[in-house]
Structure formats: structure tokens, C-alpha cells
Amino acid sequence: MAAASTTDGGVGAILTAGERDYLVRNSGEQVKISSIEAGTVALYFSASWCPPCRRFTPKLIEAYKELASQGKSFEVVFVSGDQDEEAFNAYFAKMPWLAVPFTDSEGRKSLDERFQVRGIPHLVILDAKTGKVCTEDGVEFVSEYGIDAYPFTPERINELKEQEKAAKDNQTIHSVLSTPTRDYLISNKGDKVPISDLEGKYVGLCFVVSGYGPVEEFTTVLAKIYGKLKEVGEKFEVVAVSMDNDEASFNESFQNMPWLAIPQGDKMCQKLVSYFELNDLPTLVLIGPDGKTLNSNIADIIEENGVESWEGFPFNAEKLEILAEKARAKAESQTLQSLLVTGDLDFVIGKDGAKVPVSQLVGKTVLLYFSAQWCGPCRAFLPTLVDVYNKIKEKNSDFEIVFISSDRDQSSFDDFFSGMPWLALPLEDERKAYLKKMFKIRGIPSLVAIGPSGKTVNTDAKAPLAVHGADAFPFTEEKIQELEKNIDEMAKGWPEKLKHELHKEHELVLTRHRRPFGCDGCDEMGNSWSYYCAECDFDLHTSCALGEKKKGEEEKGHDAEAAPAGYVCEGDVCRKA
């Protein structure tokens, strides 16, 4: 095998920096770059402080060792993003490949810049002889296909995708679940169950991660549906597909699942992630009795209908219409008490935990306020909501807000609730989970408006409230349309273009938006009209642009708090990841 070229264009030229013509092993041994005899070289940009890196590194190590055992011409070079040499050494000690010396900070920085590394882990695959980039999607390729992706070229990936398509066209329950060395699944008692036992059955593939709230909530409901379908004699089975990194975590969560599973750590688990193009959790793929995929994800159906989803089995068009009809009937019969009363839980709370009967809210317009103190956008939105609440209450006594918290502890709940002049559900109240599912709350802060009749009048009352303030009351579609019509009339008297001190580069043009936008003046959301610069993607509320509103004060009183696992905060909302 020819050594890597050190001439311009070869991987040697890429890895050599100044006087340094070598790489290092974790033993401290120096290895001449010119002695590398691999035909394919991967540059692995990673760091010990990065959780995604720590999850991906074991996969890359496994692939590296397998390729080495098969005599494949492949080498990896670690380019560290660690902040000190001690962290680098501890992390590199686990790696069987080479590295750019940590002491060569300029060389590492140069590689970062050359390959425009914007995030880690990042795996760049190079042709060693020419230095040409085969792909910068090495992390994705290794994660999805393992060593099957070798030599990690786009051509090889296209080949694999074609194979996947052919496999789907000829899919069977065995092709989905078995491997050349395994023809069984396991129960939570450790029993091996032949995959052939699933032939002729409907099979749900449930992708699971221990400790992830939305998945745990979903599997709890699914277990009840599973039990009901077994009770009535339906040919239905569920197979857990673990995405956990360690066996102990999986085993702990699997004990609560009454169904079967692919053994934890089996490569088929990761292959199924790619095969079914997993992009959301929870996910439940439904396989028919013939082994073909009937539905790529029925989790939404189950989350929407709860345990009653079993009546929609096997979730074909006819049965789904039955569920839809029941949902419509339920919505028509909805009352405030049907939403907020469960058994003895027939109250909300005021300050100091004083119980307020739900019956006292009947006949009022009620906003359900989903929020949490750890959520920066929630803290920023609260002063606006308090101001709107007080203005509405001045004119309308038949109005109330109920805070539904996603806080992690009582102290945070109490602190946040202390700044709210309205009511709340207790922190540990079981009604919270039902309401979040009922209204499909994916992000906070969220406001759902319930009318005096107890019917839902607006599942996104935050948007009109942010734009129209107290005028948005009672948040019905008719009221919002009336306000929008009035604004459109007012817009006829506004200048079509203007210059503003916050954006001196270009004129701002009066623009009608069909979707919410963020104002670059006050940092609050808006919709309908703004003054906009298309070239710079710059927006101002008309009130900000016309001098009717000053930039709001920065939020005070709370230090930044990290979002809990499973949430990502972006802009004015924190969403489930």
C-alpha cells in the first residue's frame, strides 16, 4: 500500500503543519505522516466536553476496529476541541487511532478553518492520495450504516439507499427484525422468542430511550392499549427498539414494558433508525400481518386518543374515522369541568395553596397558561401577560388564567407563581399530563383559550395576545378577524416606506405578513403588518417603527437557567427536542 502523499493535494499536505510532520498515538509515540498507508483517512473533530461526541465516539471505535480486522485501508485522525491537555489525554486514551498533537493549537485551528467546522462531532472523510473530500457527513454515515458505509463515499451511500429501497419493496418481518446471527427477540424476563412467532401479526416497533419523559409517558399509555388488545384476542405485538447507550438503562426501563425487544446494543436498532427515517420521539411504526409497513408512525394517534386508541386498531382509514368521530363528539360535549375535573381533583389553587373550586370558573373565558420558570421565553413573556390580564380584568370579571407548570421542583414553581395574579394547577397534579396531550403542547409558553361554554376557542391564544394585547379578548376567531380588519384599515394611513434609526442601511417597506415574525426593535413577536427590509431580513412592529412603542426593558430578577433534558429554547419558545 502506498504511503499518503505529502505533496500538495495529498492528505499529508493537509496534516503537516510548519515544522511538525508527525501525528501522535495515545501512548505518546510519534508517527510520521508520510508513513500512513491508509487509502481513506477520516478527520475526527471532537471534544470530551461534548455529549454528542461522547455518544458517537464508541460507534466510531467499533467501526474502526471492525474495518481493521477486515484489512480495510482506513485511518482516523483526532482533531481535538478540548480546552486543556489533561482533558485531551483522558479522552484520547480511549481512542485506537492517531491525533494531531494537542500542543499544536495552530495546526488544529487551521484544520477547523479549512473544513469550516461549525459543530461537533464532525467527521470529514478524505481520499488519502489526493486529499479530496469524499464527504463531510461521516458522522451520519457511520451512525446509520456502520462499516457497511465504507469507503464512505456518496456513491457507496447511494448504493446502500438503493439496497434499502429494494429491501422495503420486499420487506418481511424477518428482514426488519432479524440479523444473520440472530433470529429471536427477548422478553423482559430474558426469554428468547423466535421472530417466526410474529408472522401473521400486526407488529408495532416502538423506539425507546430511558429517562426521556415523552417516551416514558407514551409507553405507559401504550402498555394499557397493548393489554386491552391482548384481552380481546387481537393479533398484535410490540417490539421495543432501544436507543439507549448502556444496557443497565435499557434493562431498567424494559422491566416496565410487557412486550418484546431487540437485544440492547444490537446493530439492528441503529439500522432501523435509518431504515424508518426516524425524526421524532415517540415513534411507533406499524407493520402489517404480511410484514409490510402500514404506517410509519401512529404515535400521534395514540397521544391524541389515549387508551381509547385501542378501538381504532388496526388503524386503517375506516377505524381512524371512528376515532375521529369520537374525538369530534368529545369536543362538542367538552366543558370546563370535563377538562379540569378528575375524580376528587375538582379545584385549582390560588396563592398560599388555597383551593378554588373549578365550578367557580364555569361561564368564564379561561386561558390555560403552559409555562415554566426555567424557560427564558416564558419569563420574558410573563410581564406582558400580567399587564394584559390586569387590563382585561378591569373590564371583564368573567375572565381567568390557570397556570400549568412544567417546573422541576416546588421551589421554582412557588417562585414563578408568586409573580402571577391568577390561579394554577398544583405542581404534581395528574391533570397536567392530560391537558398537555389534549392540546398537543409541544412548546412553552403556550396559551389555550376556553370559552364561557367550556369549548376551546383558540389553541394558540399567545399569538393574538402578543399582537393585540387586551383587545384580543375573548380570543375567538371572530374577534381576531375583526381586529385584523381594523389593522388593515389603519395600514392604509401608514407611510409605505420609511427610514429608521435602528436600521439606517436601507428603507423599510410596509409589509403584510402571513406568519408570525420577530420584531428587531422590541424583540417581541408580531404578525400582520411590519416595516421590513427584505435584503437584511429586518422587521419592526409598526408601533415601534412609528414611534408609538419603546424597546422593552431587559428581563430582570432571574438568572439564566438551563432547559431540562428534552427541551430546546429558541427565539420566544422552548420546544420538546
Side-chain angles (χ1 to χ4, degrees):
M1 176 91 48
S5 172
T6 55
T7 60
D8 287 347
V11 75
I14 294 172
L15 293 173
T16 300
E19 298 292 319
R20 180 183 57 77
D21 61 354
Y22 62 90
L23 301 170
V24 295
R25 295 198 181 278
N26 56 22
S27 62
E29 175 192 357
Q30 294 184 0
V31 177
K32 289 286 188 181
I33 294 172
S34 58
S35 70
I36 298 174
E37 294 187 343
T40 301
V41 174
L43 302 186
Y44 182 38
F45 298 87
S46 183
S48 63
W49 51 259
C50 162
C53 297
R54 296 197 301 269
R55 289 194 292 270
F56 176 70
T57 297
K59 297 177 184 177
L60 184 58
I61 290 173
E62 182 181 12
Y64 180 86
K65 288 181 177 179
E66 286 190 31
L67 288 171
S69 70
Q70 295 178 15
K72 301 294 186 182
S73 184
F74 181 64
E75 187 54 76
V76 175
V77 177
F78 173 39
V79 185
S80 176
D82 280 305
Q83 297 167 344
D84 59 73
E85 193 163 9
E86 183 179 354
F88 164 79
N89 288 335
Y91 192 36
F92 185 38
K94 305 170 185 176
M95 301 176 184
W97 45 70
L98 304 170
V100 175
F102 184 80
T103 53
D104 187 7
S105 57
E106 286 301 315
R108 292 186 287 116
K109 180 181 178 182
S110 175
L111 289 171
D112 279 351
E113 293 174 350
R114 177 172 188 149
F115 295 102
Q116 299 181 345
V117 178
R118 298 289 180 262
I120 53 175
H122 189 61
L123 191 66
V124 179
I125 310 294
L126 303 173
D127 180 294
K129 183 176 181 180
T130 65
K132 178 182 176 183
V133 175
C134 298
T135 182
E136 295 187 352
D137 297 323
V139 171
E140 178 185 344
F141 290 176
V142 172
S143 296
E144 291 191 9
Y145 300 107
I147 64 170
D148 290 341
Y150 180 83
F152 308 104
T153 60
E155 292 77 17
R156 176 54 182 162
I157 300 307
N158 288 335
E159 203 177 299
L160 291 172
K161 290 186 181 299
E162 286 297 319
Q163 291 174 10
E164 278 188 357
K165 183 178 182 303
K168 288 179 180 179
D169 292 340
N170 300 288
Q171 179 178 299
T172 67
I173 196 65
H174 289 276
S175 69
V176 170
L177 296 177
S178 68
T179 69
T181 58
R182 179 185 52 76
D183 61 357
Y184 62 87
L185 303 167
I186 58 171
S187 71
N188 59 15
K189 293 184 175 64
D191 299 325
K192 293 181 179 180
V193 179
I195 293 173
S196 56
D197 285 3
L198 275 59
E199 292 175 359
K201 293 182 179 181
Y202 290 91
V203 177
L205 303 183
C206 185
F207 291 83
V208 298
V209 181
S210 63
Y212 182 51
V215 169
E216 292 183 341
E217 292 171 11
F218 176 77
T219 53
T220 299
V221 175
L222 181 60
K224 295 176 181 178
I225 296 170
Y226 177 85
K228 186 64 179 178
L229 291 174
K230 288 287 189 181
E231 182 183 314
V232 299
E234 293 288 1
K235 293 183 176 180
F236 178 61
E237 190 52 73
V238 174
V239 177
V241 183
S242 172
M243 298 172 66
D244 286 308
N245 291 321
D246 65 275
E247 192 169 2
S249 297
F250 169 70
N251 287 340
E252 184 177 350
S253 61
F254 188 37
Q255 287 304 310
N256 300 316
M257 301 177 192
W259 44 72
L260 305 174
I262 296 173
Q264 196 279 331
D266 192 296
K267 292 181 181 179
M268 182 57 75
C269 293
Q270 188 59 50
K271 285 186 177 180
L272 291 177
V273 169
S274 171
Y275 185 79
F276 289 108
E277 300 177 2
L278 184 74
N279 58 19
D280 194 16
L281 286 175
T283 286
L284 184 67
V285 178
L286 185 63
I287 308 294
D290 61 354
K292 300 292 191 292
T293 303
L294 296 179
N295 195 312
S296 61
N297 192 7
I298 59 172
D300 284 347
I301 297 169
I302 290 173
E303 287 190 311
E304 185 171 344
N305 296 279
V307 177
E308 294 179 359
S309 300
W310 77 270
E311 298 178 15
F313 182 82
F315 308 106
N316 53 28
E318 181 182 349
K319 289 298 186 84
L320 290 180
E321 180 54 34
I322 293 174
L323 287 179
E325 182 57 40
K326 289 191 70 172
R328 286 191 289 268
K330 188 174 182 179
E332 281 299 313
S333 64
Q334 177 182 300
T335 65
L336 189 66
Q337 286 153 312
S338 71
L339 287 175
L340 294 182
V341 175
T342 300
D344 294 335
L345 297 174
D346 59 356
F347 60 88
V348 292
I349 59 172
K351 294 297 180 286
D352 301 321
K355 294 182 179 180
V356 178
V358 172
S359 58
Q360 291 188 14
L361 303 180
V362 172
K364 296 184 177 184
T365 294
V366 176
L367 289 181
L368 303 180
Y369 176 44
F370 299 86
S371 185
Q373 188 188 55
W374 55 258
C375 163
C378 298
R379 298 194 303 272
F381 177 64
L382 182 59
T384 298
L385 186 57
V386 170
D387 180 60
V388 169
Y389 175 83
N390 290 331
K391 287 179 179 177
I392 294 176
K393 291 288 278 188
E394 285 176 7
K395 299 179 180 179
N396 302 275
S397 60
D398 57 344
F399 171 66
E400 195 51 79
I401 294 178
V402 177
F403 170 42
I404 300 170
S405 174
S406 292
D407 281 304
R408 294 171 284 188
D409 56 70
Q410 192 66 44
S411 175
S412 297
F413 171 86
D414 291 341
D415 187 35
F416 201 34
F417 185 39
S418 68
M420 303 177 188
W422 45 75
L423 305 171
L425 287 183
L427 178 62
E428 301 295 340
D429 199 292
E430 67 184 57
R431 291 171 288 180
K432 288 167 43 180
Y434 166 74
L435 291 169
K436 288 177 184 178
K437 289 179 182 177
M438 170 78 179
F439 295 110
K440 300 179 181 177
I441 302 301
R442 300 294 188 190
I444 54 175
S446 286
L447 285 171
V448 175
I450 309 299
S453 68
K455 304 286 191 301
T456 304
V457 297
N458 196 322
T459 57
D460 183 19
K462 177 175 173 281
L465 183 147
V467 176
H468 305 295
D471 292 337
F473 180 82
F475 310 102
T476 59
E477 185 177 347
E478 295 76 17
K479 181 63 176 179
I480 304 309
Q481 288 178 348
E482 176 190 329
L483 291 170
E484 292 296 330
K485 183 177 179 181
N486 292 341
I487 289 178
D488 287 348
E489 285 298 314
M490 291 174 59
K492 294 178 182 178
W494 293 333
E496 290 186 9
K497 297 180 179 180
L498 56 75
K499 293 282 288 183
H500 196 280
E501 61 179 7
L502 293 179
H503 192 72
K504 297 178 180 179
E505 296 88 341
H506 309 101
E507 277 193 316
L508 301 176
V509 179
L510 184 62
T511 303
R512 183 71 157 93
H513 291 270
R514 299 301 174 187
R515 294 182 177 179
F517 64 88
C519 175
D520 293 297
C522 66
D523 295 330
E524 294 177 6
M525 296 301 292
N527 58 20
S528 67
W529 294 94
S530 83
Y531 279 94
Y532 179 61
C533 173
E535 185 174 345
C536 303
D537 193 25
F538 181 92
D539 271 295
L540 285 181
H541 286 138
T542 53
S543 54
C544 292
L546 298 173
E548 300 168 12
K549 183 176 180 181
K550 295 181 180 179
K551 182 174 175 65
E553 293 183 359
E554 293 297 319
E555 176 204 355
K556 298 176 182 177
H558 289 293
D559 294 330
E561 185 177 353
Y567 280 88
V568 174
C569 297
E570 297 176 325
D572 71 332
V573 69
C574 292
R575 302 187 186 280
K576 286 185 177 178

